[in-house]
Amino acid sequence: MEISADILHLVHQNMAMQYRIVPYQKDKNQLYLYAEEGVIEKELREELEIILNQEIVLQLLPKAEISRLLAICYLKDQTDSAAQPLSALTAGDDFLDTLIKEARKLKSSDIHIESFEQKSRVRIRIDGMMIERYQIAKEDYPALINKIKIMANLDIAEKRLPQDGRIHYKLGAETAFDIRVSVLPTLHGEKVVLRLLSNTSTNIDLNILGLSEEDLYHYMQGIQRPNGIILISGPTGSGKTTTLYATLKLLNKTTRNILTIEDPIEYTLEGINQVQLRENIGLGFASALRTFLRQDPDVIMVGEIRDPETANMAIRAALTGHLVLSTIHTNSAWGTVSRLIDMGIPGFLVANTLNTTVAQRLVRLLCPVCKQEEIFNAEAYPKQFNPPFALNKHYVAKGCGECYYTGYKGRKAVYEVIPIDAELAFEIKQENMYIDELLKNRKIKTLSGNAFDLFASGQTTLEEIFPLLLNI
């Protein structure tokens, strides 16, 4: 069931936890609450009517169901017994701080603040899924947007054009991180997206990202070459940048000069010269690459190959003896080859410079506490998918307090790594895009193959990998 944020905020989190109640409906005279079975209904109703100053209607539910609703609706941190209560629905001085701190604590990647005709709301993204957290009064919305703009050094008078900025946010005495701010004018007001960036690279390690032993071997072979291009493909939010940073961290030696051009700089790496892209003053990927070549680099990281000019500069850098790392938007690892050729790069240049091409996606992992084993029916697979081996059982998501009753906890990357050897380079020169048999002969695992292995090992569900099984 879905309970709107404005209903939930009629009862404070602390009060909901204390009395084990969840509001689910409100009319002119009455507030409807779920309460736990076993309470003295009359006494609880009278006490709540005094506190909330309105008529209460109770509906009793089993203890397990109330626990589930409290965890979902109030996202109570199970590991933090002294969790701070959610702030009131207001755009006051402390609301934005509370919102950012809460999103950080819940390991959210983005905060969406958006306005519609009748209401304004705040949603946060956790493990790739959006969750509504607050509703804001329309009259408070402009003040909240202006506060964000001031913190990000944006023009508060400009409400017709999109704006991009950055906030350096300090959380306590020691913790500091950056927030990327994007402001977009919409029909009913400006929408703001805050991307919470982690400034620490402590936990980034190639060995724990999700690469199989064989894929890691092929990838390591590619990045240990002194020159050439490593390309990582995938949609927005698939973890490409994290893989690049993990690679840079591995390559970061005092004997190497490493330069990066990024939009934005998501992690700060000591010993690496990182440049923030600024299109408005002419500092784009291509122009930065031209300057990089005069900076005596060993390794160059380009945030994204977006256009033919950047692609040509990256090829030129690789041909002149540099190792170039970058990302590109394609559906598969081999698709990067056709994308470069479509950008006007001759096939022989792609063949001579491309070391390794990688595709990746992020898959949610089952909560280890509550995942449940069930008999598996092979008819659940997509019709065109032929599994490499039969499965009799699989795990399904159930939900518990540890995972806020979503059934999932954390994400893992699924990879497809293709090392470019002499035979594949010949196929690229011929601009032959149909190489499925060659990849099978080399036992190169596709995205769907690695995703199936994750499912077969009980780490995720069929629902999570279903879109990857379609891409065969």
Side-chain angles (χ1 to χ4, degrees):
M1 71 188 70
E2 280 198 17
I3 304 171
S4 66
D6 56 335
I7 296 292
L8 289 173
H9 285 284
L10 293 173
V11 177
H12 195 280
Q13 178 186 2
N14 284 0
M15 185 179 177
M17 296 298 173
Q18 180 183 344
Y19 288 96
R20 295 185 63 76
I21 55 174
V22 178
Y24 65 94
Q25 189 179 327
K26 172 86 168 68
D27 59 28
K28 190 174 181 181
N29 301 314
Q30 296 175 314
L31 176 62
Y32 296 81
L33 305 173
Y34 292 123
E36 191 173 296
E37 287 178 348
V39 299
I40 302 173
E41 193 173 343
K42 184 173 180 294
E43 287 183 8
L44 178 61
R45 186 175 62 249
E46 288 174 354
E47 189 171 340
L48 291 173
E49 284 177 347
I50 293 169
I51 296 170
L52 297 170
N53 194 30
Q54 57 187 313
E55 189 178 339
I56 300 296
V57 177
L58 295 177
Q59 181 177 337
L60 302 184
L61 294 178
K63 181 179 179 180
E65 183 64 17
I66 289 293
S67 296
R68 188 182 74 85
L69 284 173
L70 286 170
I72 294 171
C73 296
Y74 290 98
L75 288 180
K76 182 168 174 60
D77 191 337
Q78 301 294 318
T79 62
D80 186 3
S81 57
Q84 292 296 315
L86 303 183
S87 71
L89 261 186
T90 172
D93 290 342
D94 65 339
F95 176 71
L96 184 58
D97 288 332
T98 303
L99 180 61
I100 293 170
K101 288 173 185 174
E102 180 192 40
R104 179 86 172 177
K105 184 179 70 178
L106 295 170
K107 298 180 180 177
S108 169
S109 60
D110 300 89
I111 303 170
H112 291 242
I113 304 169
E114 48 204 349
S115 181
F116 303 99
E117 186 176 4
Q118 302 294 337
K119 65 176 184 176
S120 302
R121 69 179 180 184
V122 176
R123 293 186 295 169
I124 62 176
R125 189 181 293 278
I126 301 175
D127 285 342
M129 305 296 285
M130 298 283 280
I131 299 171
E132 185 176 328
R133 291 299 287 137
Y134 297 99
Q135 290 200 355
I136 303 168
K138 288 286 286 184
E139 58 270 20
D140 289 334
Y141 190 80
L144 177 61
I145 301 302
N146 284 342
K147 182 170 183 178
I148 293 170
K149 283 184 174 181
I150 290 166
M151 291 174 71
N153 293 316
L154 300 178
D155 184 358
I156 62 171
E158 181 57 76
K159 300 182 185 297
R160 300 167 301 167
L161 294 173
Q163 296 187 73
D164 293 302
R166 198 177 183 93
I167 299 171
H168 185 67
Y169 192 84
K170 287 193 174 181
L171 189 63
E174 297 179 359
T175 308
F177 57 94
D178 286 345
I179 301 171
R180 188 176 69 187
V181 180
S182 174
V183 182
L184 177 71
T186 65
L187 182 62
H188 299 292
E190 293 172 290
K191 172 176 177 171
V192 175
V193 176
L194 307 177
R195 165 66 61 89
L196 277 61
L197 306 174
S198 174
N199 278 5
T200 174
S201 59
T202 310
N203 298 323
I204 303 177
D205 188 343
L206 267 179
N207 294 302
I208 61 172
L209 292 182
L211 283 158
S212 68
E213 194 174 323
E214 192 173 350
D215 286 341
L216 182 60
Y217 171 78
H218 289 316
Y219 188 70
M220 293 296 291
Q221 291 285 305
I223 66 173
Q224 284 167 2
R225 292 189 194 178
N227 59 285
I229 298 180
I230 308 289
L231 279 182
I232 302 176
S233 68
T236 302
S238 59
K240 302 186 297 294
T241 306
T242 301
T243 302
L244 279 182
Y245 277 115
T247 308
L248 287 176
K249 189 178 175 186
L250 197 68
L251 295 172
N252 188 13
K253 312 286 184 189
T254 54
T255 54
R256 288 193 182 104
N257 177 25
I258 301 177
L259 297 168
T260 76
I261 173 71
E262 306 169 53
D263 182 30
I265 296 171
E266 296 195 21
Y267 300 90
T268 303
L269 295 169
E270 188 70 30
I272 292 177
N273 304 284
Q274 296 173 270
V275 179
Q276 171 68 48
L277 180 132
R278 298 186 188 279
E279 296 272 18
N280 58 330
I281 58 170
L283 181 58
F285 287 125
S287 59
L289 269 172
R290 281 192 205 93
T291 307
F292 282 5
L293 293 178
R294 295 191 287 273
Q295 286 279 321
D296 184 31
D298 296 298
V299 180
I300 296 172
M301 192 268 265
V302 185
E304 184 184 344
I305 293 179
R306 295 176 179 170
D307 50 58
E309 189 183 8
T310 307
N312 274 298
M313 286 304 302
I315 292 287
R316 180 181 159 191
L319 284 171
T320 52
H322 306 93
L323 183 64
V324 180
L325 311 173
S326 190
T327 69
I328 194 166
H329 286 292
T330 60
N331 291 326
S332 66
W334 191 248
T336 60
V337 175
S338 58
R339 181 85 177 94
L340 288 172
I341 291 171
D342 288 345
M343 283 182 171
I345 310 297
F348 71 91
L349 281 181
V350 178
N352 290 338
T353 54
L354 191 60
N355 289 354
T356 308
T357 174
V358 181
Q360 74 176 87
R361 302 289 189 276
L362 285 178
V363 172
R364 287 191 298 167
L365 297 175
L366 281 163
C367 173
V369 177
C370 63
K371 68 179 184 180
Q372 193 168 322
E373 193 177 61
E374 288 187 0
I375 302 296
F376 182 66
N377 182 2
E379 291 181 4
Y381 289 129
K383 286 186 179 178
Q384 71 270 38
F385 179 69
N386 185 23
F389 53 88
L391 285 179
N392 297 321
K393 294 182 180 179
H394 70 131
Y395 285 93
V396 294
K398 283 298 175 185
C400 65
E402 287 292 321
C403 59
Y404 305 117
Y405 288 86
T406 61
Y408 297 93
K409 195 169 186 180
R411 291 187 291 178
K412 193 172 188 177
V414 176
Y415 290 90
E416 177 180 324
V417 180
I418 301 178
I420 306 300
D421 57 19
E423 192 174 1
L424 288 177
F426 176 79
E427 297 298 334
I428 294 173
K429 287 176 185 175
Q430 304 302 312
E431 298 188 7
N432 176 20
M433 296 297 106
Y434 303 99
I435 55 141
D436 291 351
E437 285 304 316
L438 280 175
L439 296 182
K440 280 181 184 177
N441 292 339
R442 284 166 173 69
K443 297 182 179 177
I444 300 292
K445 277 216 165 177
T446 61
L447 277 172
S448 59
N450 281 321
F452 179 80
D453 287 348
L454 207 62
F455 168 60
S457 64
Q459 295 182 66
T460 191
T461 60
L462 182 62
E463 289 76 17
E464 273 297 297
I465 66 161
F466 200 90
L468 295 178
L469 300 185
L470 294 171
N471 294 330
I472 56 173

